């Protein structure tokens, strides 16, 4: 038996941690289903679901099943999906015209999603990597340099295609300079004033995207993405990128990846009055699932803690593959 003693400790913070009901009341940050954007990988065909080896629990879905999945998520309070098309390798070329094909997989997926769920906010990336044979986000010259201004012309076509298909937010994820202003102008010229731009503003050249590239079957033909995606060493540059995107007309600013870049989210929260999105990326998902499947950690709890931390840092919305695991833990 331990003898009871009472020291004179005037402030005891543990009182507010005494029981679950108190902890829930004093909780400063709360996750809600409304915080999440669900990425969905879309494939051609019908009633098809194909597992992604490096992302256990995530599947590529044909459009009919993607719509079904979105319906289920929407019924649980999820307000938005981001569609990522898995393009047949035979349709990939250096110039990537499939990216703005009005009858292509992406266009069809957007149309069918909006037709089935007009109230759901549908987003899609604007970048060439699912469509180029070399896997880069832009056009390349013979020296392997990624061409900024020529790529922007393609991004404009891709944005207009998405807008015509009914997209709510185009999400340029390519990191070309000046693309947000160019896309805004092109959308406005065609009367798409109500199509928003969610800019991947601080998108780092991260090693955490490999499961995503595996999901989309994107293989980089040459080089890396460091001439357009940001150096993980830099934070002032992230603020500059975000400020430029904001000036150019971005409605929402994104930081990506999320958990290794919480300082960037927090700094951007101080700088901008715009909503901030964070992308809890494929590698962040895959690492946790691998450790979970080895029996080392509990994926649901680690995901909950990760997503809560991303929100605490200042994100208003989070793209994540872990939504289903986390929803039951949200209070
Ligand atoms: C395409 C794009 C990527 C991701 C989102 N959009 C990959 C990349 O830039 O190489 C990564 C998302 C993830 O890893 O979950 N530009």
């Amino acid at each position: 038996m331990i003898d009871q003693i009472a020291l004179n400790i005037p402030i005891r913070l543990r009182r507010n941690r005494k029981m679950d009901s108190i902890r829930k009341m004093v909780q400063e940050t709360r996750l809600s289903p409304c915080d999440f954007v669900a990425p969905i990988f879309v494939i051609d065909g019908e009633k098809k679901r194909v597992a992604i080896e490096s992302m256990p629990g995530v599947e590529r879905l044909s459009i009919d099943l993607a719509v079904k999945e979105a319906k289920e998520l929407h019924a649980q309070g999820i307000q938005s999906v981001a569609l990522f098309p898995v393009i047949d390798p035979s349709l990939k070329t250096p110039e990537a015209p499939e990216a703005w094909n009005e009858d292509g997989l992406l266009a069809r997926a957007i149309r069918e999603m909006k037709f089935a769920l007009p109230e759901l906010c549908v987003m899609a990336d604007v970048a060439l990597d699912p469509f180029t044979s070399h896997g880069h986000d832009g056009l390349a010259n013979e020296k392997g340099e990624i061409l900024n201004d020529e790529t922007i012309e393609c991004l404009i076509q891709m944005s207009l295609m998405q807008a015509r298909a009914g997209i709510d937010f185009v999400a340029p994820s390519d990191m070309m300079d000046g693309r947000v202003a160019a896309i805004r102008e092109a959308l406005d010229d065609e009367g798409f004033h109500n199509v928003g731009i969610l800019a991947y503003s601080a998108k780092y050249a991260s090693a955490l995207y490999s499961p995503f590239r595996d999901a989309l079957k994107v293989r980089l033909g040459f080089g890396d993405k460091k001439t357009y995606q940001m150096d993980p060493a830099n934070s002032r540059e992230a603020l500059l990128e975000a400020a430029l995107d904001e000036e150019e007309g971005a409605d929402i600013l994104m930081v990506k990846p999320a958990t290794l870049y919480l300082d960037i989210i927090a700094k951007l929260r101080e700088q901008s009055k715009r909503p901030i999105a964070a992308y809890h990326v494929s590698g962040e998902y895959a690492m946790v699932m691998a450790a979970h499947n080895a029996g080392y950690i509990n994926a649901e709890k680690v995901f909950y803690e990760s997503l809560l931390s991303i929100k605490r840092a200042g994100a208003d919305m989070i793209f994540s593959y872990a939504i289903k695991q986390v929803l039951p833990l949200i209070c």
Side-chain angles (χ1 to χ4, degrees):
M1 264 295 274
I2 299 170
D3 287 338
Q4 242 198 340
I5 54 166
L7 301 176
N8 182 20
I9 300 173
I11 298 173
R12 291 180 185 264
L13 292 179
R14 285 190 54 195
R15 278 196 288 266
N16 285 349
R17 298 180 202 135
K18 190 176 78 173
M19 57 206 272
D20 209 38
S21 57
I22 299 173
R23 289 194 293 271
K24 281 192 172 130
M25 287 190 292
V26 302
Q27 191 175 328
E28 296 176 37
T29 309
R30 242 177 261 278
L31 288 170
S32 141
C34 299
D35 298 331
F36 297 118
V37 179
I40 301 183
F41 296 107
V42 185
I43 51 176
D44 249 317
E46 243 181 276
K47 294 197 170 52
K48 278 212 311 204
R49 49 174 79 243
V50 183
I52 302 162
E53 203 185 324
S54 51
M55 301 176 74
V58 181
E59 293 171 314
R60 308 172 182 95
L61 302 173
S62 53
I63 297 178
D64 53 328
L65 295 184
V67 168
K68 189 164 168 269
E69 167 99 346
K71 273 187 187 155
E72 283 164 19
L73 288 166
H74 197 40
Q76 293 178 81
I78 306 300
Q79 304 300 325
S80 184
V81 296
L83 302 177
F84 293 96
V86 184
I87 300 301
D88 190 288
S90 68
L91 297 173
K92 300 187 185 195
T93 61
E95 281 85 34
E98 183 61 19
W100 54 94
N101 178 355
E102 309 262 346
D103 294 311
L105 177 61
L106 179 55
R108 283 181 280 123
I110 296 168
R111 277 199 292 270
E112 292 189 32
M113 195 60 83
K114 283 305 288 184
F115 181 77
L117 292 157
E119 300 300 320
L120 183 74
C121 173
V122 177
M123 310 194 188
D125 264 29
V126 174
L128 300 184
D129 54 312
F131 308 94
T132 49
S133 40
H134 48 63
H136 278 285
D137 294 34
L139 301 177
N141 65 13
E142 57 294 336
K143 286 187 268 178
E145 290 161 349
I146 304 304
L147 303 170
N148 195 87
D149 301 20
E150 292 81 350
T151 297
I152 289 181
E153 291 302 316
C154 300
L155 302 178
I156 287 174
Q157 297 311 316
M158 195 177 173
S159 302
L160 289 173
M161 175 279 279
Q162 293 188 17
R164 291 178 198 126
I167 203 79
D168 294 299
F169 276 89
V170 293
S173 65
D174 55 289
M175 291 300 279
M176 298 301 121
D177 290 323
R179 89 278 206 219
V180 172
I183 291 171
R184 184 70 271 158
E185 193 186 331
L187 288 172
D188 287 347
D189 280 352
E190 281 218 14
F192 294 115
H193 306 285
N194 292 330
V195 171
I197 300 179
L198 183 153
Y200 286 64
S201 299
K203 175 169 181 180
Y204 285 91
S206 171
L208 290 167
Y209 307 148
S210 9
F212 174 94
R213 292 182 194 163
D214 175 27
L216 285 196
K217 301 195 176 129
V218 168
R219 242 157 254 104
L220 272 192
F222 55 85
D224 53 42
K225 297 196 175 186
K226 290 181 187 167
T227 69
Y228 45 106
Q229 298 183 349
M230 281 187 48
D231 185 340
N234 295 355
S235 60
R236 291 191 302 269
E237 191 188 351
L239 298 179
L240 200 50
E241 281 283 5
L244 278 172
D245 284 355
E246 196 171 336
E247 264 176 55
E248 290 181 28
D251 302 283
I252 301 175
L253 308 169
M254 185 194 271
V255 175
K256 175 184 170 199
T259 43
L260 297 186
Y261 296 85
L262 295 181
D263 57 325
I264 308 299
I265 296 172
K267 282 181 180 151
L268 185 55
R269 179 69 293 155
E270 298 277 302
Q271 167 176 292
S272 177
K273 295 199 166 50
R274 284 292 186 178
I276 296 175
Y279 203 137
H280 178 243
V281 301
S282 58
E284 299 177 270
Y285 178 85
M287 289 192 294
V288 172
M289 288 308 289
H292 175 87
N293 289 337
Y296 300 153
I297 58 171
N298 175 296
E300 288 77 22
K301 288 182 179 168
V302 176
F303 283 141
Y304 177 76
E305 192 174 330
S306 306
L307 298 175
L308 192 66
S309 302
I310 295 165
K311 186 150 185 212
R312 193 190 62 230
D316 299 290
M317 70 196 81
I318 308 170
F319 288 55
S320 177
Y321 306 98
I323 296 174
K324 281 192 209 152
Q325 285 99 323
V326 162
L327 277 180
L329 303 184
I330 290 178
C331 152

